[in-house]
């Protein structure tokens, strides 16, 4: 008992001392119905005796916390996540929902790590931005009945709410733009553990399968260092094979920049000899020569949609999970012939 008192008390500690589940403690402190009065009073008594403020915890569940993968937001994709946070802040302000944001290393996205972040922020609702929860974290979130929304993410089992770009259809459209321009041997530079990126791979493969005589090749990236440099090196190696590939759909615009540099250095004309489509519509798409043809992701809208999902989840904890997908819009550029 003394050992527990020397550190910040968590709901998991209350659950252990009271002999109940974390979910039951969470529901009691949130003043939710469905708990017997004897169990409720027992938990509140244990919490009070050990210095845990039930009143503070109940109020805290009106607030929300966004955890963002630090390796993404502090790297080249920072502008992507800045747009999402802008949408989250605006949506939370409109809805009157307290909102805070924190960076977290993905290896810290464990039940204990996430719980600590939420306790420190006094939050009861959680946005996971660019983070696919592990099976362990997902199980804990479900057991603790914590309202959770994946932002720029999807739950393959659809047990958690999520807001994301329409990655499958966006990738299908991006590849179709190359096919419609007459290309039949197309590269797809990609590489990630994330569910959203796997959806883009599926979209690419589906578009290739649906086109007569088309051939696609996945070029896997390690992302050890600069994505632009790695894409440049990988594309140069493929071109040196003289295997006849004349186009590339890239996982994001930074990769497309590296492909464009490699193609140009090889003496090929863009888009006459080699065509390129990026993804995300990042600012760098306008800085290349020619400007990148890409697919626009409305990052601000994703943030706002995530807040609407959170508000709905606060109102009905038992409603079926929902996944909101935003269409990805083709953006004309100079790396694919415009119809």
């Amino acid at each position: 008992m003394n050992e527990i008192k020397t550190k910040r008390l968590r709901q998991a500690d209350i659950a252990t001392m009271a002999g109940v589940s974390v979910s039951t403690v969470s529901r009691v402190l949130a003043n939710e119905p469905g708990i017997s009065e004897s169990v409720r009073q027992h938990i509140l008594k244990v919490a009070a005796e050990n210095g845990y403020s039930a009143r503070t915890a109940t109020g805290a569940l009106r607030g929300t916390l966004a955890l963002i993968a630090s390796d993404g937001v502090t790297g080249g994709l920072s502008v992507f996540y800045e747009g999402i946070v802008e949408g989250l802040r605006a949506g939370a302000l409109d809805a009157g929902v307290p909102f805070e944001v924190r960076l977290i290393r993905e290896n810290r996205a464990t039940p204990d790590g996430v719980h600590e972040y939420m306790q420190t922020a006094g939050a009861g609702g959680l946005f996971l931005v660019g983070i696919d929860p592990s099976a362990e974290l997902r199980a804990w979130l479900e057991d603790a009945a914590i309202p959770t929304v994946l932002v720029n993410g999807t739950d393959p089992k659809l047990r958690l709410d999520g807001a994301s770009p329409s990655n499958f259809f966006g990738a299908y459209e991006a590849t179709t733009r190359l096919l419609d321009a007459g290309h039949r041997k197309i590269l797809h530079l990609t590489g990630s553990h994330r569910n959203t990126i796997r959806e883009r791979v599926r979209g690419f493969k589906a578009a290739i399968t649906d086109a007569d005589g088309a051939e696609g090749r996945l070029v896997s990236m390690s992302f050890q260092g600069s994505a632009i440099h790695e894409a440049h090196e990988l594309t140069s190696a493929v071109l040196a094979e003289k295997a006849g590939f004349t186009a590339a759909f890239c996982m994001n615009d930074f990769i497309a920049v590296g492909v464009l540099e490699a193609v140009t250095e090889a003496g090929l004309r863009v888009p006459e000899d080699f065509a390129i489509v990026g993804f995300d519509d990042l600012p760098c798409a306008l800085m290349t020569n020619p400007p990148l043809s890409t697919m626009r992701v409305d990052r601000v809208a994703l943030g706002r949609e995530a807040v609407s999902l959170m508000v709905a989840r606060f109102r009905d904890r038992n409603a079926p999970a929902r996944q909101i997908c935003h269409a990805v819009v083709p953006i004309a550029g100079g790396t694919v012939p415009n119809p």
Side-chain angles (χ1 to χ4, degrees):
M1 183 73 69
N2 290 335
E3 181 180 351
I4 291 178
K5 286 185 177 181
T6 62
K7 63 180 182 179
R8 184 186 296 274
L9 205 64
R10 305 175 305 171
Q11 290 185 13
D13 299 322
I14 299 295
T16 299
M17 291 184 287
V20 298
S21 69
V22 176
S23 176
T24 300
V25 172
S26 177
R27 292 174 62 192
V28 167
L29 297 181
N31 199 30
E32 292 184 0
I35 304 294
S36 70
E37 190 58 28
S38 60
V39 171
R40 184 185 303 277
Q41 291 304 320
H42 172 59
I43 291 173
L44 291 175
K45 182 174 183 292
V46 171
E49 288 177 348
N50 289 276
Y52 191 97
S53 173
R55 179 177 299 174
T56 299
T58 302
L61 286 181
R62 296 181 53 212
T64 57
L65 172 68
L67 293 179
I68 306 180
S70 59
D71 54 343
V73 76
T74 57
L77 289 175
S78 60
V79 67
F80 185 93
Y81 288 107
E82 286 169 7
I84 289 178
V85 172
E86 178 185 345
L88 285 169
R89 288 192 189 282
L93 181 63
D94 290 345
V97 176
F99 171 77
E100 292 191 37
V101 61
R102 297 283 189 277
L103 299 180
I104 184 174
R105 295 195 310 273
E106 284 206 59
N107 62 4
R108 280 276 293 154
T110 62
D112 285 344
V114 170
H115 191 271
E116 182 177 342
Y117 273 95
M118 295 186 70
Q119 286 287 97
T120 301
L126 177 66
F127 297 102
L128 291 176
V129 185
I131 298 173
D132 293 335
S134 65
E136 179 188 24
L137 178 57
R138 187 186 297 110
W140 176 76
L141 291 170
E142 292 178 14
D143 181 61
I146 295 174
T148 304
V149 178
L150 306 182
V151 192
N152 191 39
T154 58
D155 178 7
K157 296 184 177 181
L158 200 55
R159 293 179 180 172
L160 300 176
D161 297 314
S164 68
S166 184
N167 290 289
F168 174 89
F169 293 107
Y172 190 99
E173 173 69 16
T175 308
T176 298
R177 294 172 70 180
L178 298 169
L179 292 164
D180 288 348
H183 298 278
R184 285 299 178 267
K185 299 195 68 171
I186 303 173
L187 305 171
H188 179 36
L189 283 81
T190 186
S192 172
H193 62 287
R194 300 216 57 223
N195 295 322
T196 52
I197 303 306
R198 294 193 188 104
E199 285 296 294
R200 293 183 194 176
V201 172
R202 282 207 316 117
F204 169 74
K205 290 181 176 180
I208 293 295
T209 299
D210 288 347
D212 292 338
E215 176 186 343
R217 179 194 290 187
L218 297 181
V219 180
S220 297
M221 299 187 61
S222 66
F223 295 99
Q224 300 298 314
S226 166
I228 294 177
H229 176 74
E230 185 179 6
H232 177 282
E233 296 300 305
L234 289 170
T235 303
S236 295
V238 172
L239 294 176
E241 296 176 11
K242 298 189 182 302
F245 287 94
T246 62
F249 162 46
C250 304
M251 187 185 90
N252 63 42
D253 290 334
F254 289 116
I255 295 172
V257 170
V259 172
L260 177 59
E261 290 179 352
V263 169
T264 302
E265 288 181 11
L268 299 174
R269 298 171 302 164
V270 177
E272 293 85 357
D273 302 323
F274 199 100
I276 304 165
V277 177
F279 207 97
D280 291 339
D281 191 27
L282 301 176
C284 66
L286 293 174
M287 301 176 188
T288 59
N289 184 26
L292 289 176
S293 304
T294 186
M295 306 294 293
R296 175 171 294 163
V297 173
D298 191 337
R299 281 96 68 182
V300 175
L302 287 182
R304 284 186 171 275
E305 292 284 15
V307 174
S308 71
L309 286 170
M310 181 63 74
V311 171
R313 183 56 54 191
F314 274 139
R315 290 172 178 165
D316 187 351
R317 303 294 180 95
N318 298 316
R322 291 189 294 157
Q323 180 71 37
I324 295 178
C325 289
H326 259 259
V328 180
V329 182
I331 299 299
T335 56
V336 173
N338 295 313

